[in-house]
Amino acid sequence: MTGDALSQDPAELQRRIDSSKAHPARVYDVFLGGKDHYPADRDAAAAALAANPRGYLDVRHNRDFLRRAVTTLVEQDGIRQFLDIGTGLPTAENVHQIAQRIAPDARVVYVDNDPVVLAHARALLTSGPEGRTDYIDADLRDPARILEQAAKTLDLDRSVALCLVAILHFVADEEAYPLVRELLDALPVGSRLVLSHLTEDLNPENIRAVQRTYTERGFTFVLRSRADVERFFTENALKIADPGVVPAHRWRPDDAAPVPERPEESYLAGLDDIEKVRYRDINDVTDADINVYAGMGAKG
């Protein structure tokens, strides 16, 4: 249940980590209440939160969309294989936990290129005895390597759910569409694409302010319209599942988003704004809070 990536020398892994620059996976970890990040990541998250004080709802509802999508795929569509690219740091309710709770024989391959994620990847590999999980240390921009390595765990002649959740807005247009096409071309009929993406369609002022905080730190950060997001499905002849490409909190809501335990007010008062995020209940979301499109499509 361990990939070749996990055999890397710890000293070499440490050398690859640049703690002076923020990384999207680690900034995401800040918003999810994790602890596997550096001051630069925390500063980036704090700047984004200052620009959009309810921006944590984008991150948390994006994560909850993934929960609902994986549940749907396993329970209703019979999908048993997942390729999750841009995995991020291990957190509560990873794909294999959701899928294998319903179908213990489910197989999941995670892909990320952040060495901090790799350092914690063993937490993603706690598969039950009937299923399998693996981790690939690779970049989305190298689909050939991803597919070659994924084939060691997944049967690419059987349906696979390709999960590209909150990753494509870090990839420019000239790369993004061909990358998705190459990945999907390698998957058989019946496979699915699970996708979420930041947009300026919904609440442009807030998200543009966030975009500035990321681009100032050297990130590629592309906000795509609904039509641009739909292109990832239509250009690959995928049938988009109901309700279509919609704001993340509108994709098959089930009112089951996890509610964190709230500590004493005296404790909360001593926290800064970014630390308080982990205790926020996301069920008070409104349309004015969300800047993420989400959708799922099937390869016919």
Side-chain angles (χ1 to χ4, degrees):
M1 293 199 313
T2 58
D4 294 340
L6 299 185
S7 63
Q8 285 200 20
D9 178 66
E12 169 63 18
L13 195 59
Q14 189 63 37
R15 188 192 64 77
R16 287 179 52 196
I17 296 172
D18 184 354
S19 61
S20 69
K21 295 180 181 178
H23 187 284
R26 303 194 304 259
V27 176
Y28 197 71
D29 179 67
V30 176
F31 278 113
L32 290 175
K35 298 185 180 299
D36 300 312
H37 51 262
Y38 296 96
D41 307 303
R42 189 182 179 86
D43 289 347
L49 191 66
N52 181 16
R54 284 172 67 79
Y56 64 90
L57 289 164
D58 280 332
V59 176
R60 299 265 300 280
H61 274 282
N62 175 74
R63 190 75 188 182
D64 201 54
F65 158 68
L66 178 63
R67 174 187 64 81
R68 300 193 306 275
V70 172
T71 300
T72 296
L73 287 167
V74 180
E75 285 188 343
Q76 300 180 19
D77 297 353
I79 299 295
R80 296 293 182 268
Q81 300 192 111
F82 293 83
L83 179 57
D84 182 6
I85 303 178
T87 299
L89 285 146
T91 186
E93 293 294 85
N94 298 293
V95 170
H96 74 281
Q97 293 166 314
I98 301 165
Q100 292 178 355
R101 184 166 56 242
I102 304 165
D105 61 337
R107 295 186 171 204
V108 179
V109 171
Y110 295 105
V111 183
D112 209 294
N113 71 332
D114 180 8
V116 175
V117 178
L118 173 57
H120 293 273
R122 286 180 177 83
L124 292 169
L125 300 175
T126 54
S127 176
E130 297 174 60
R132 285 190 65 188
T133 61
D134 208 343
Y135 180 91
I136 301 171
D137 177 26
D139 194 298
L140 171 62
R141 295 173 179 83
D142 191 358
R145 169 176 162 74
I146 290 172
L147 291 163
E148 177 188 7
Q149 295 297 313
K152 297 177 181 179
T153 300
L154 306 179
D155 179 354
L156 299 187
D157 292 325
R158 295 173 53 230
S159 299
V160 176
L162 171 64
C163 300
L164 298 172
V165 175
I167 185 174
L168 289 169
H169 42 251
F170 297 113
V171 184
D173 281 351
E174 61 270 19
E175 292 182 289
Y177 292 100
L179 288 172
V180 175
R181 185 179 311 117
E182 185 171 347
L183 288 164
L184 285 169
D185 280 351
L187 302 181
V189 168
S191 292
R192 305 297 200 275
L193 173 63
V194 177
L195 185 149
S196 64
H197 200 296
L198 285 169
T199 183
E200 61 183 349
D201 285 359
L202 305 172
N203 300 290
E205 185 176 344
N206 288 347
I207 196 63
R208 286 173 188 158
V210 173
Q211 182 184 40
R212 285 193 294 273
T213 71
Y214 282 105
T215 55
E216 286 167 359
R217 287 163 172 80
F219 292 172
T220 298
F221 203 83
V222 183
L223 301 172
R224 292 188 172 95
S225 68
R226 185 199 299 264
D228 290 336
V229 175
E230 288 174 342
R231 273 184 62 195
F232 289 111
F233 296 94
T234 57
E235 285 193 355
N236 294 291
L238 304 185
K239 181 180 180 182
I240 301 176
D242 290 335
V245 173
V246 297
H249 66 305
R250 297 280 182 190
W251 197 91
R252 304 189 188 183
D254 60 4
D255 301 315
V259 178
E261 288 189 26
R262 188 174 177 85
E264 295 290 334
E265 289 300 324
S266 58
Y267 175 78
L268 281 175
L271 303 180
D272 63 23
D273 288 344
I274 200 68
E275 290 171 327
K276 291 176 182 176
V277 162
R278 75 180 69 182
Y279 301 111
R280 304 288 191 198
D281 181 358
I282 67 171
N283 292 292
D284 65 345
V285 66
T286 71
D287 289 349
D289 294 319
I290 296 297
N291 303 281
V292 181
Y293 279 132
M296 187 166 73
K299 186 171 180 178

